[in-house]
């Protein structure tokens, strides 16, 4: 399967975001190209199962490759991970997913006299107050920087926790301006992140999202021992580096359908308008008869 980043995005908004991000000191949050395939099975590995993600339990002791038996997104270790964009187009459920990026550059910024915030508490408080389910794709370094907030997320029965790598490095040679991760470190990076997140308990999953949604067959092969499901998304919010909330709302509500996986960010400093957009997104979903649900429910067959 070709790398996602080999597809040139066609929208002016995506191109503009990529250009802006390349000029910034901080790292780029995810900016996925839009597409709507339900499940992309790599060539040579048979047809994709209809209706959602494979959830076959992956046996293995905790903390080692293949751990996570029975968790949402678990797949047989040693098989190429399925790649999911959205769930079945029936019913009224959609998934709100929030990426929590953290790189070494971002960590250095947090050590400055006037550090930025890469934890948008307003988003978490709104979700808690309105009892809205959500799934958080956490980097290991973000968890280490915000342990109390991670614990708060884990203790909420409406929130699921998923894996977004340890340090938001690229898993392909060219992925925007992210630093590439050597192939020999890919498996260990993701396994380490599952272990870091797993210490907090709560609604753990075996869902994983690549930084920038950049992946190829090599990256998928390296993650095969971990028994996971790769989750991209079919609704591009455009919240990274947005300067107003209205375009974020329009982007989400113009793309969303039953079964959609909406990609947002909880990293306040480089997605500063997401908390302002979120109430309008929730209202727009309700007007369309769509209800947020945990990712595992949206992807369930």
């Amino acid at each position: 399967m070709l790398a996602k980043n080999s597809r040139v995005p066609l929208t002016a908004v995506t191109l503009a975001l990529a250009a802006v991000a390349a000029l910034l000191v901080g790292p780029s949050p995810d900016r996925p190209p839009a597409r709507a395939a339900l499940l992309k099975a790599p060539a040579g590995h048979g047809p994709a199962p209809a209706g959602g993600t494979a959830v076959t339990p992956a046996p293995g002791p905790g903390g080692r490759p293949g751990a996570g038996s029975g968790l949402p997104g678990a797949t047989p270790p040693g098989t190429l991970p399925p790649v999911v964009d959205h769930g079945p187009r029936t019913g009224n459920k959609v998934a709100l997913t929030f990426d929590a990026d953290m790189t070494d550059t971002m960590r250095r910024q947090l050590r400055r006299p006037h550090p930025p915030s890469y934890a948008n508490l307003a988003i978490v408080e709104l979700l808690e107050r309105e009892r809205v389910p959500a799934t958080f794709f956490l980097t290991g370094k973000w968890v280490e920087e915000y342990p109390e907030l991670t614990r708060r997320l884990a203790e909420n029965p409406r929130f699921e926790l998923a894996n977004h790598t340890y340090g938001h490095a690229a898993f392909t040679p060219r992925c925007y301006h992210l630093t590439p991760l050597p192939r020999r470190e890919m498996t260990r990076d993701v396994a380490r992140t599952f272990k870091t997140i797993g210490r907090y308990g709560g609604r753990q999953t075996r869902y994983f999202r690549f930084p920038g949604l950049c992946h190829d067959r090599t990256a998928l092969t390296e993650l095969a021992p971990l028994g996971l499901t790769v989750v991209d998304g079919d609704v591009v919010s455009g919240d990274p580096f947005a300067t107003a909330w209205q375009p974020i709302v329009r982007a989400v509500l113009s793309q969303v359908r039953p079964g959609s996986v909406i990609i947002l960010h909880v990293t306040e400093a480089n997605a500063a308008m997401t908390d302002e957009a979120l109430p309008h997104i929730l209202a727009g979903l309700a007007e369309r008869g769509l209800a947020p649900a945990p990712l595992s429910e949206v992807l369930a067959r």
Side-chain angles (χ1 to χ4, degrees):
M1 184 173 65
L2 295 177
K4 285 285 182 71
N5 58 317
S6 66
R7 303 182 186 179
V8 179
L10 299 179
T11 66
V13 172
T14 306
L15 289 171
L17 285 173
V20 171
L23 297 175
L24 296 177
V25 175
S28 166
D30 302 338
R31 290 177 304 282
R35 64 249 178 272
L38 172 61
L39 181 64
K40 300 175 289 302
H45 283 258
T53 179
V55 292
T56 306
R64 285 191 259 167
S69 176
L71 294 178
T75 58
T79 60
L80 217 61
V83 181
V84 178
D85 277 333
H86 57 76
R89 294 304 194 185
T90 57
N92 69 334
K93 294 179 180 179
V94 298
L96 293 173
T97 68
F98 294 88
D99 291 357
D101 308 344
M102 183 62 65
T103 66
D104 287 336
T105 298
M106 296 164 77
R107 274 186 148 176
R108 286 192 294 269
Q109 292 172 344
L110 291 174
R111 307 297 182 261
R112 293 177 178 177
H114 302 286
S117 170
Y118 291 112
N120 196 326
L121 292 177
I123 289 174
V124 178
E125 290 168 354
L126 174 60
L127 296 173
E128 291 173 337
R129 184 170 62 252
E130 300 297 329
R131 300 176 179 269
V132 178
T135 301
F136 291 84
F137 282 83
L138 309 178
T139 55
K141 291 182 179 180
W142 189 92
V143 171
E144 292 171 352
E145 290 293 334
Y146 299 104
E148 293 304 318
L149 183 53
T150 302
R151 186 170 295 108
R152 178 173 170 178
L153 298 177
E155 291 175 351
N156 190 317
R158 296 179 181 83
F159 295 162
E160 289 181 327
L161 306 183
N163 189 321
H164 195 39
T165 75
Y166 185 69
H168 208 256
F171 279 62
T172 59
R174 292 174 298 279
C175 181
Y176 304 104
H177 67 283
L178 299 176
T179 302
L181 186 71
R183 178 174 181 173
R184 65 181 180 276
E185 297 180 16
M186 292 179 179
T187 307
R188 181 173 57 184
D189 180 282
V190 177
R192 180 181 184 182
T193 307
F194 274 126
K195 186 174 181 180
T196 300
I197 299 171
R199 297 189 184 105
Y200 291 83
R203 296 185 62 170
Q204 298 285 325
T205 72
R206 297 298 286 186
Y207 295 131
F208 171 79
R209 177 172 287 159
F210 286 98
L213 302 191
C214 302
H215 52 79
D216 54 17
R217 191 178 185 86
T218 296
L220 293 174
T221 299
E222 292 302 311
L223 300 191
L226 300 177
L228 54 80
T229 293
V230 175
V231 179
D232 288 349
D234 66 314
V235 175
V236 183
S237 73
D239 63 341
F241 306 109
T243 58
W245 59 265
Q246 291 89 343
I248 302 172
V249 176
R250 286 196 297 269
V252 171
L253 298 183
S254 66
Q255 300 176 73
V256 70
R257 298 169 56 192
S260 282
V261 176
I262 303 167
I263 303 173
L264 296 158
H265 289 78
V266 72
T267 46
E268 182 177 5
N270 54 15
M273 307 307 298
T274 310
D275 56 345
E276 295 192 39
L278 186 56
H280 303 279
I281 291 172
L282 295 175
L285 293 177
E287 290 175 359
R288 288 159 174 76
L290 299 173
L295 182 61
S296 60
E297 294 183 18
V298 173
L299 298 183
R301 285 183 287 182

